Amino acid sequence: MTALAPVRTEEDDRLTTLASERYRNDQRLSGDWNETLDTLLSHRSVRNYLPKAVPDSVLHLAIAAAQSAPSSSNLQAWSVIAVADEARKSRLNTVAGTQRQIEQAPLLLIWLADINRPRKIATDDGAPAEGLDYVESFLLGVIDAALAAQNAVSALESLGLGTCYIGAIRNDPEVVARELELPEGVFPVFGLTVGYPDPAVPAGVKPRLPQSTVLHRERYDTTPRPDDLKNYNAALGRFQAEQSIPLIDWTEQVKNRIGTVEALKGRHLLGAAARKLGFKLK
Ligand SMILES: Cc1cc2nc3c(=O)[nH]c(=O)nc-3n(C[C@H](O)[C@H](O)[C@H](O)COP(=O)(O)O)c2cc1C
């Protein structure tokens, strides 16, 4: 009796499509497809939005998803400010070097590491809050804010909205803090533009490094893999051509981003800024 060939399902085909868009190499993904995986693997930053407001119901769903993220010791050391006012958005955009997506997006969420709340809980009770004086607490707030934000991103994408992180608000955290009247112990980690993607300018799935570059097993593997980088430069180049954005190798982008203090666009002063905003960073 001849063995029957395994039946390819629509789900297998969808995983193959998702893998090929994400990697543009021979990476295969198999197993059970589901909508959560589809949303996660289809992520792309959206920088062109329709002039359509984000309903409050959507904002509340996004925040519920954000609050559903894990949180270190459940301290929930983060907050978020929803900015829809055009004038305020525009002033924040100045800090971010004037990015078109901030201008276009109906909503800008500013994600905050917030150790003001736990400090107040302790001090209102006359209790010490010594633990908040260390780098650990800054990191904890930043990690909590990032996990929350990314859950919101996935929720928004599952609802058909698009987002783009805006790390550039860290170019000048003190100006952001003044604009948003942040109390002591609250640090702006990044912004997030939110809106309905403009179908006239569809964003593509940006390929990622091969899994062989990032996935190590049991120990860190330092074997050089020059082909990984060469192939990734080529894959990203095809994406750039399709999106009509400047062709530049990823390895060049990395070097440009890390090469000089100037490329940090003011963020080399973050330690000092965080201290001024109430983080002791011992
Ligand atoms: C913390 C963080 C900050 C970012 N800041 C910016 C930014 O200021 N402007 C921007 O256009 N994109 C920004 N991005 C988006 C990245 O450029 C984008 O995620 C990356 O190129 C991968 O593309 P993809 O999100 O479409 O997959 C940021 C992303 C992260 C995670």
Side-chain angles (χ1 to χ4, degrees):
M1 218 166 83
T2 50
L4 290 175
V7 180
R8 275 195 71 76
T9 64
E10 267 180 43
E11 294 187 354
D12 288 334
D13 290 344
R14 182 63 191 148
L15 282 175
T16 301
T17 303
L18 289 167
S20 100
E21 286 181 350
R22 181 53 73 203
Y23 293 105
R24 299 188 187 220
N25 62 15
D26 59 1
Q27 176 71 50
R28 295 281 166 268
L29 295 174
S30 56
D32 290 336
W33 170 93
N34 63 48
E35 285 184 3
T36 305
L37 286 171
D38 207 297
T39 300
L40 294 174
L41 272 59
S42 303
H43 160 77
R44 76 272 324 256
S45 291
V46 170
R47 297 184 177 85
N48 295 279
Y49 299 100
L50 295 174
K52 177 180 165 189
V54 176
D56 231 32
S57 57
V58 169
L59 175 62
H60 287 298
L61 279 172
I63 298 307
Q67 290 191 278
S68 300
S71 160
S72 194
S73 306
N74 199 26
L75 287 186
Q76 305 176 59
W78 64 274
S79 294
V80 61
I81 299 182
V83 178
D85 178 77
E86 285 301 329
R88 176 166 291 118
K89 207 152 58 70
S90 167
R91 289 193 294 275
L92 291 168
N93 200 0
T94 307
V95 174
T98 314
Q99 302 194 30
R100 191 196 54 235
Q101 64 269 28
I102 299 178
E103 201 179 304
Q104 270 193 14
L107 182 63
L108 175 65
L109 299 178
I110 305 289
W111 297 87
L112 308 161
D114 187 348
I115 62 166
N116 177 278
R117 193 184 306 122
R119 186 181 295 285
K120 195 164 176 330
I121 289 169
T123 51
D124 279 0
D125 211 27
E130 203 185 348
L132 294 179
D133 294 347
Y134 293 83
V135 172
E136 160 63 11
S137 294
F138 180 67
L139 209 50
L140 183 153
V142 169
I143 294 169
D144 267 14
L147 296 179
Q150 183 53 32
N151 256 23
V153 165
S154 295
L156 289 161
E157 290 178 350
S158 77
L159 294 168
L161 285 90
T163 65
C164 183
Y165 280 101
I166 305 292
I169 62 151
R170 292 196 307 275
N171 293 355
D172 200 336
E174 289 174 71
V175 169
V176 174
R178 274 199 297 278
E179 176 65 44
L180 300 175
E181 300 177 28
L182 303 184
E184 201 174 274
V186 180
F187 181 86
V189 180
F190 42 64
L192 186 77
T193 56
V194 182
Y196 290 91
D198 182 350
V201 199
V205 170
K206 190 182 280 187
R208 292 294 196 263
L209 289 165
Q211 290 204 356
S212 51
T213 312
V214 300
L215 173 62
H216 306 241
R217 292 186 193 270
E218 312 301 341
R219 58 175 183 83
Y220 198 98
D221 183 358
T222 53
T223 311
R225 298 180 188 279
D227 281 352
D228 277 8
L229 296 181
K230 200 165 97 253
N231 294 338
Y232 183 57
N233 280 337
L236 196 64
R238 289 196 293 281
F239 167 84
Q240 291 162 342
E242 286 159 19
Q243 295 280 304
S244 307
I245 53 179
L247 298 182
I248 169 162
D249 279 349
W250 181 74
T251 45
E252 285 305 304
Q253 291 179 12
V254 170
K255 286 185 272 176
N256 292 341
R257 179 66 171 77
I258 66 173
T260 62
V261 170
E262 288 71 34
L264 287 174
K265 304 201 173 133
R267 295 183 223 174
H268 58 298
L269 303 171
L270 274 195
R275 284 194 176 86
K276 279 197 199 147
L277 296 179
F279 293 79
K280 293 211 172 86
L281 305 181
K282 282 192 197 162

